Amino acid sequence: MRKKLPILVLLVVQFSYAQQSLTLENCYELANKNYPLAKQSELFAQKSAYETASLNTAKLPKIDLNVQTTYQSDVTGLPIPLPNVSPLNKDQYRATLDVNQLIYNGGLIDSNVKLKEIQTQTQQQQLAVNLYSVKTRVNQLYFSILLTQERKLILTSKQEQLLSKIKEVKSGIKFGVLLPASEQVLEAENLKIKQQLRENELDRIRLLNNLSALIFTPLNDNTVLEKPVISIAKDATVLRPEMQLFDLQNQQILSSKEIIAKNKLPKVNAFGTAGYGNPGLNMLNNSFQTFYMVGLKANWNVWDWDKTKKDKAALSVSESIIATEKETFLLNTHLQLQEIQTEIDKLNEAIQTDQEITNLRESIAQSSDAQLKNGVITSSDYLVEFSNLYESKINQKTHQIQLALAKANYQIIKGN
């Protein structure tokens, strides 16, 4: 049992420091799910449910309890006295229960409910637009971290090759082929590489912390980001969430026009009143009485001084405003796509040239290596070509990461 315990502890430690793999799509999903704005989606739905329920209450009977007592300076009287008829009291009392039930209003309530649903969808879509913009920030951090990963691999490879060369130089110094200063030059370069590796690691930790804060997911030093394979289609279709937002805004205007038209339709209500008071409905009976009254009431605004026409005209102007906003958005989006496409083409050409440069640098570095072994050149001369080789490799890898970032941004600008 004592032997098994250290093994168990070791496994737990190894699991804790195991590599965490993360993709670009994972980051998009986590940012979209955990970003504080995302909480508004559920809040919009709750708010809409309450508002819709409130609108639908207009279909239910409206019940009012009214109690009134008054004292007046004069009351209605008859010019001549009549038998069994007493004058009204100046203090009067009345309690009624009034019920009003909507019978017909041209579907105005349902139209308001429909408008409220579209307004909620518009708010949800505006939220989607706001969250979509976070993807650009995710891209910048993700590919910056990828670049630090690639730089680490290249610098580590450079260091390993340099350490191997230092061993060879030490052997050459031992047998008198090379001068002692040759080793010092290479050791100085090794210290420089160690410094670059440390700076690169600190940059990577900083970027990982920023990405972790953006996607609200803990990331550690062992987190490895996978290289995304991105292909872009060059068709002109823009599928950004803004496009659906424009459509919903137009639907909202159409629904508002429908409500304006239905406001002019007649409205019919049934009503009823039951009460107890002194006097009741019989004004000649000066005593407390129960009474009731039922009926129908119709209301129709036959002339609104062209208010409906003006309201619809204002909404039509709003439609034109949305159309110009959509046109401007598409124009700016296509301009951005053209700019990024130019950058992609430029980077593709640069990468091809990088490969040619790297091939030549490798050939030159191999020749310098042989010359250093034979004492033809100094270690400083060798180091120049050796550094040029790895500089070309870093440039090539940087351009490759920049190309992947440009493609990812192209997808975001176009919409997927």
Side-chain angles (χ1 to χ4, degrees):
M1 181 64 184
R2 291 180 180 178
K3 292 181 179 179
K4 291 181 180 180
L5 185 58
I7 296 175
L8 179 61
V9 172
L10 180 61
L11 288 174
V12 171
V13 172
Q14 287 178 343
F15 180 78
S16 300
Y17 288 91
Q19 286 188 346
Q20 177 185 5
S21 181
L22 195 65
T23 67
L24 183 59
E25 288 298 327
N26 291 151
C27 292
Y28 289 158
E29 292 171 3
L30 289 168
N32 192 66
K33 177 182 177 183
N34 298 324
Y35 203 68
L37 273 179
K39 299 175 183 178
Q40 289 186 354
S41 179
E42 185 178 348
L43 296 175
F44 285 146
Q46 292 177 357
K47 179 172 176 284
S48 177
Y50 286 127
E51 290 174 338
T52 299
S54 177
L55 288 171
N56 281 320
T57 57
K59 295 180 180 180
L60 302 175
K62 181 182 178 183
I63 303 174
D64 294 317
L65 177 63
N66 301 298
V67 178
Q68 176 181 301
T69 178
T70 62
Y71 182 88
Q72 53 198 69
S73 62
D74 201 1
V75 294
T76 303
L78 297 175
I80 58 174
L82 294 176
N84 301 323
V85 176
S86 57
L88 293 177
N89 296 328
K90 291 184 178 180
D91 56 323
Q92 299 184 1
Y93 308 89
R94 187 181 183 90
T96 61
L97 184 67
D98 299 325
V99 180
N100 282 275
Q101 173 63 59
L102 176 67
I103 296 178
Y104 174 79
N105 69 347
L108 184 60
I109 295 174
D110 292 336
S111 294
N112 276 298
V113 169
K114 179 182 176 183
L115 175 61
K116 181 56 61 180
E117 290 174 352
I118 296 174
Q119 287 174 340
T120 301
Q121 292 173 13
T122 304
Q123 289 176 320
Q124 298 277 19
Q125 193 61 28
Q126 181 62 62
L127 175 61
V129 169
N130 295 337
L131 289 175
Y132 192 80
S133 63
V134 178
K135 285 187 174 182
T136 302
R137 296 167 61 189
V138 170
N139 277 356
Q140 196 62 46
L141 290 171
Y142 190 93
F143 287 98
S144 295
I145 295 170
L146 271 183
L147 183 58
T148 62
Q149 289 182 186
E150 297 301 326
R151 283 178 60 85
K152 180 180 180 180
L153 292 175
I154 293 173
L155 288 172
T156 302
S157 174
K158 180 181 180 181
Q159 187 179 47
E160 290 174 354
Q161 188 170 344
L162 185 64
L163 291 174
S164 176
K165 181 55 61 181
I166 290 174
K167 289 181 180 179
E168 293 180 8
V169 168
K170 284 182 177 180
S171 177
I173 293 172
K174 180 179 179 181
F175 292 101
V177 178
L178 298 174
L179 295 174
S182 299
E183 179 187 355
Q184 295 173 351
V185 170
L186 298 181
E187 288 289 359
E189 181 66 18
N190 184 39
L191 290 174
K192 181 180 177 181
I193 294 174
K194 287 182 179 179
Q195 183 184 50
Q196 290 173 337
L197 281 169
R198 181 56 181 164
E199 290 174 353
N200 185 74
E201 187 62 22
L202 291 175
D203 286 341
R204 183 173 182 273
I205 291 173
R206 173 181 57 82
L207 292 168
L208 277 172
N209 289 337
N210 291 340
L211 182 60
S212 174
L214 188 59
I215 65 177
F216 292 83
T217 302
L219 303 176
N220 54 49
D221 191 43
N222 295 312
T223 302
V224 176
L225 305 187
E226 297 182 10
K227 299 177 187 176
V229 179
I230 302 173
S231 58
I232 58 175
K234 296 184 180 180
D235 61 276
T237 306
V238 176
L239 302 174
R240 289 274 292 274
E242 287 89 342
M243 301 302 293
Q244 189 175 351
L245 178 61
F246 291 134
D247 292 339
L248 286 169
Q249 287 173 341
N250 281 323
Q251 291 180 31
Q252 193 170 321
I253 289 175
L254 291 174
S255 184
S256 297
K257 285 184 176 180
E258 183 180 339
I259 290 174
I260 290 172
K262 289 186 175 181
N263 270 325
K264 284 196 67 177
L265 296 176
K267 299 172 180 59
V268 179
N269 288 272
F271 66 89
T273 300
Y276 180 74
N278 181 5
L281 297 181
N282 183 1
M283 300 296 292
L284 299 179
N285 187 346
N286 189 21
S287 63
F288 281 92
Q289 308 164 43
T290 59
F291 57 88
Y292 71 91
M293 179 172 53
V294 295
L296 292 174
K297 180 180 179 181
N299 179 44
W300 190 3
N301 185 8
V302 296
W303 182 256
D304 64 355
W305 304 98
D306 286 338
K307 181 180 182 301
T308 298
K309 183 179 179 180
K310 293 171 183 175
D311 288 343
K312 286 185 176 181
L315 290 173
S316 296
V317 173
S318 296
E319 280 183 306
S320 299
I321 293 173
I322 293 172
T324 57
E325 289 177 348
K326 182 177 180 179
E327 184 180 359
T328 304
F329 172 77
L330 287 173
L331 174 62
N332 291 333
T333 300
H334 285 126
L335 288 174
Q336 286 180 300
L337 291 175
Q338 289 177 9
E339 290 179 3
I340 291 192
Q341 185 60 57
T342 301
E343 183 181 356
I344 289 173
D345 295 339
K346 182 177 68 176
L347 288 168
N348 276 322
E349 292 181 9
I351 289 170
Q352 291 179 358
T353 305
D354 286 336
Q355 186 59 53
E356 296 174 3
I357 293 172
T358 300
N359 292 338
L360 290 173
R361 290 295 183 190
E362 285 180 345
S363 178
I364 295 171
Q366 289 175 1
S367 176
S368 298
D369 184 34
Q371 290 175 339
L372 178 63
K373 289 179 181 178
N374 296 323
V376 177
I377 61 173
T378 65
S379 58
S380 296
D381 296 329
Y382 165 79
L383 197 56
V384 170
E385 301 303 333
F386 177 75
S387 298
N388 286 339
L389 169 61
Y390 279 93
E391 182 182 352
S392 67
K393 288 184 176 182
I394 289 176
N395 286 338
Q396 182 179 12
K397 191 59 65 176
T398 300
H399 288 151
Q400 289 174 352
I401 298 298
Q402 288 175 342
L403 176 61
L405 172 59
K407 288 182 176 180
N409 285 336
Y410 185 96
Q411 283 188 324
I412 290 175
I413 292 172
K414 182 182 177 184
N416 258 339

